[in-house]
Amino acid sequence: GVMQDHLEQNVFGKGATVKLSGIATMINLFIDAGAVLSRFIDLWLGTRKALALATCLISGGLLVSGCATEVWHLYLSLGICLASGASISYEVSMRVVPQWFSAQSGLAMSVLATATGFGGIVFPFALTALNQHLGYSWTFRILSLATFLLTGLGCSLIRERRPENKFSQKASNVIHLGIFHNINFSIWCLAAFLQVIYLFIPPYFLPLNATSLGLSTAQGSSLASIYSSATIVGRVALGLLGDRIGCLEANCIYAFLTGIFSLTLWVFAKSYNVLAVYSALFGLFGGSYYALCGPITESIVGVDLYPGSIILLLLTNSPAQFSIAVANALENISFLEPFFTFKLFTGLSAIGSSILMAVIHYRLRFSKRSS
């Protein structure tokens, strides 16, 4: 958001708003949709070499972005190059990290997911300062160097607990299309799809909602920082709760509370204080999917089928990256008050997801009793 605003104001102009906003959608879409290809690259190169390639793609994409003079240049450098590297690193982390944590996998994955929260707090201020003093070109170059150093360090430290036989895997064994015969997994894919749909809407539209109520842009931007700060606490608490009562059950509770808060607090929010409270609550409860999707998938399909199942989960979720565009289209044809469509869209998606997870919970309990 900070880089998009700077590029709009100082480089490409306001006419490029729609084109620039499409870059973030393309990155998220490519990360999820590229999971299958990332899995094959991981098997072909091995974990550390795949991460080294991901590091080069991410840092290279940022470096080349500093030379961009047209918006389509950024689609290539960020939407394809950086996103490809991010997809590989995400696939590897989702596969390797759970190997080391059997008893506390929920907490481990939740702590891993808090990285986005820290980034949301620190990066807006750092990027704003760099853009003002050095310009966007050097900002991208500094980001490239920082990414190369930090991810390079991570590549040197990570290792597998259960190494795979890389070259004996057939395509059919890697992708596991037959896993969709598992009804619980299919329901989980739909529930996860609904979670991804609502995940991006409040962080994107809350600042706009604030300014539409007459609040300042600074107050609108602060809502994003409140949300990012709250995700850190919320995801750590989520991991602890998931290890205690079950990751599926914890995720179900978080999604249900997100829906209730969206249909109550956000629907009737007319002041900064109420919007700030909702931002904090959405940060606490709204981001549960990315923290627990790994442990939940493993609990449904088992350890052996997990690596292939998680990439299918990401692949089926990739169309949900268009949720902002879909919500915008519904808002444009709606006769309701401004932003009400986004509030309703978020609340109903969250509650629908929680209902589906409750169905999985009772199906799993019934199957255990039957056996």
Side-chain angles (χ1 to χ4, degrees):
V2 173
M3 292 304 299
Q4 177 177 334
D5 183 63
H6 180 81
L7 292 171
E8 287 178 9
Q9 299 290 339
N10 302 284
V11 182
F12 300 115
K14 285 290 186 180
T17 301
V18 176
K19 293 180 180 179
L20 287 171
S21 63
I23 297 173
T25 300
M26 184 174 181
I27 291 173
N28 292 325
L29 177 64
F30 213 98
I31 290 174
D32 284 350
V36 175
L37 179 60
S38 299
R39 176 68 175 143
F40 280 107
I41 292 174
D42 181 16
L43 286 169
W44 179 45
L45 295 178
T47 299
R48 289 196 174 182
K49 289 182 180 179
L51 286 175
L53 175 61
T55 299
C56 294
L57 289 171
I58 295 171
S59 58
L62 289 169
L63 182 64
V64 174
S65 296
C67 305
T69 57
E70 301 287 343
V71 175
W72 67 267
H73 295 168
L74 295 175
Y75 273 85
L76 296 177
S77 60
L78 299 178
I80 296 180
C81 186
L82 178 144
S84 298
S87 181
I88 295 171
S89 63
Y90 186 59
E91 185 276 328
V92 171
S93 65
M94 292 297 294
R95 181 180 61 81
V96 173
V97 173
Q99 295 178 4
W100 294 92
F101 301 91
S102 55
Q104 294 181 312
S105 60
L107 179 60
M109 296 304 293
S110 296
V111 170
L112 179 65
T114 58
T116 57
F118 282 111
I121 297 172
V122 176
F123 270 81
F125 301 102
L127 293 179
T128 299
L130 288 171
N131 283 327
Q132 290 176 348
H133 292 91
L134 300 177
Y136 80 97
S137 294
W138 274 105
T139 298
F140 276 122
R141 291 164 188 159
I142 292 171
L143 281 175
S144 174
L145 177 61
T147 301
F148 184 81
L149 294 175
L150 292 174
T151 53
L153 176 62
C155 288
S156 65
L157 295 176
I158 195 169
R159 67 186 181 91
E160 294 181 272
R161 187 176 185 179
R162 299 188 293 268
E164 296 178 297
N165 189 347
K166 307 293 181 181
F167 299 101
S168 65
Q169 297 271 12
K170 296 180 180 180
S172 58
N173 294 331
V174 172
I175 300 177
H176 296 307
L177 289 177
I179 196 64
F180 285 112
H181 292 125
N182 184 331
I183 303 300
N184 292 329
F185 179 74
S186 298
I187 298 174
W188 166 231
C189 287
L190 181 57
F193 179 84
L194 292 176
Q195 280 200 282
V196 177
I197 278 181
Y198 72 73
L199 181 62
F200 300 104
I201 294 178
Y204 188 88
F205 289 108
L206 275 172
L208 300 176
N209 191 185
T211 54
S212 72
L213 294 174
L215 302 175
S216 67
T217 54
Q219 287 176 309
S221 299
S222 69
L223 296 176
S225 296
I226 292 172
Y227 160 78
S228 298
S229 302
T231 59
I232 299 173
V233 179
R235 289 177 180 179
V236 173
L238 172 68
L240 293 170
L241 181 64
D243 290 332
R244 187 174 182 85
I245 68 171
C247 292
L248 176 67
E249 291 73 15
N251 193 29
C252 180
I253 293 171
Y254 267 50
F256 181 75
L257 290 175
T258 298
I260 295 299
F261 293 140
S262 299
L263 295 176
T264 53
L265 276 177
W266 195 15
V267 165
F268 300 105
K270 302 297 181 183
S271 66
Y272 173 77
N273 289 337
V274 180
L275 286 174
V277 170
Y278 174 72
S279 297
L281 290 172
F282 187 83
L284 286 172
F285 299 103
S288 59
Y289 166 73
Y290 282 116
L292 294 183
C293 63
I296 292 173
T297 303
E298 184 174 337
S299 70
I300 293 174
V301 303
V303 175
D304 294 336
L305 295 177
Y306 170 74
S309 300
I310 192 66
I311 64 172
L312 285 177
L313 179 71
L314 296 176
L315 185 62
T316 55
N317 288 341
S318 57
Q321 303 297 340
F322 294 104
S323 60
I324 292 177
V326 173
N328 252 325
L330 293 174
E331 174 74 6
N332 290 335
I333 63 175
S334 172
F335 296 99
L336 303 173
E337 66 177 60
F339 293 93
F340 187 80
T341 301
F342 304 132
K343 303 169 185 178
L344 197 63
F345 197 71
T346 301
L348 294 180
S349 298
I351 292 177
S353 177
S354 68
I355 292 173
L356 291 174
M357 284 185 279
V359 171
I360 299 173
H361 167 77
Y362 285 107
R363 283 179 57 87
L364 291 174
R365 285 186 62 183
F366 179 77
S367 63
K368 286 181 181 179
R369 289 180 179 179
S370 300
S371 60

